[in-house]
């Protein structure tokens, strides 16, 4: 029945907006950063003029990843890290959401090495070696 289909679509839309707003809130003070603020302004303009689909809201969250990480890197001084002066970067570890199915999550190779590209994070690739 189309009424139920519409209700499910509306519920998905609501959940997508809540998720997007929660993500924006999680950025804390970085939302005012010179790298992040223009992205937020652009997204606000879009949301004011257009009904955003859940997919578009997911795109918005991904679009905030690069400027947020760049701002966070600068604040943490990651660009100045050396072997003798390491910088805490645990916040860079991000587990995949698997929202696009398991084929887009972690992948393993025969060498027991786990790799996954960190899309839209400002980092092109990361890897983690597992040991027993």
């Amino acid at each position: 029945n189309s009424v139920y289909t519409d209700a499910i679509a509306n519920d998905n839309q609501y959940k997508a907006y809540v998720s997007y707003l929660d993500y924006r809130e999680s950025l804390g003070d970085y939302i005012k950063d010179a790298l992040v603020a223009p992205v937020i302004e652009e997204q606000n303009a879009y949301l004011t003029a257009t009904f955003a689909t859940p997919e578009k809201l997911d795109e918005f969250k991904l679009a905030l990843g690069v400027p947020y990480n760049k701002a966070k890197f600068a604040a943490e001084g990651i660009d100045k890290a050396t072997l003798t002066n390491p910088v805490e970067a645990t916040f860079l570890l991000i587990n995949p959401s698997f929202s696009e199915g398991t084929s887009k999550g972690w992948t393993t190779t025969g060498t027991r090495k786990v790799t996954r590209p960190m899309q839209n994070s400002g980092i092109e690739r990361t890897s983690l070696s597992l040991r027993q």
Side-chain angles (χ1 to χ4, degrees):
N1 189 337
S2 66
V3 173
Y4 295 112
T5 303
D6 290 346
I8 291 169
N10 289 337
D11 186 54
N12 289 340
Q13 182 69 31
Y14 172 77
K15 288 177 183 175
Y17 268 102
V18 169
S19 176
Y20 170 70
L21 294 174
D22 287 347
Y23 179 76
R24 277 179 52 163
E25 188 175 312
S26 77
L27 301 180
D29 289 338
Y30 287 101
I31 204 164
K32 299 173 188 168
D33 184 87
L35 295 170
V36 179
V39 178
I40 295 290
E41 288 175 25
E42 182 181 320
Q43 291 177 358
N44 284 344
Y46 181 92
L47 292 170
T48 300
T50 309
F51 181 79
T53 64
E55 295 78 18
K56 187 67 172 179
L57 293 167
D58 283 344
E59 287 177 28
F60 282 176
K61 289 192 301 189
L62 289 173
L64 286 170
V66 172
Y68 168 71
N69 282 337
K70 286 181 179 179
K72 185 89 168 155
F73 294 167
E76 297 289 332
I78 288 177
D79 57 333
K80 296 170 184 61
T82 65
L83 287 175
T84 57
N85 184 30
V87 174
E88 172 59 37
T90 307
F91 68 91
L92 293 174
L93 299 175
I94 302 169
N95 285 318
S97 70
F98 296 98
S99 63
E100 296 179 37
T102 57
S103 65
K104 298 289 185 180
W106 295 105
T107 57
T108 60
T109 64
T111 61
R112 306 188 95 193
K113 191 172 193 176
V114 179
T115 61
R116 178 182 75 83
M118 294 178 67
Q119 296 174 341
N120 297 315
S121 66
I123 298 174
E124 292 188 18
R125 185 170 192 110
T126 185
S127 67
L128 170 70
S129 294
L130 301 177
R131 299 178 191 267
Q132 285 186 322

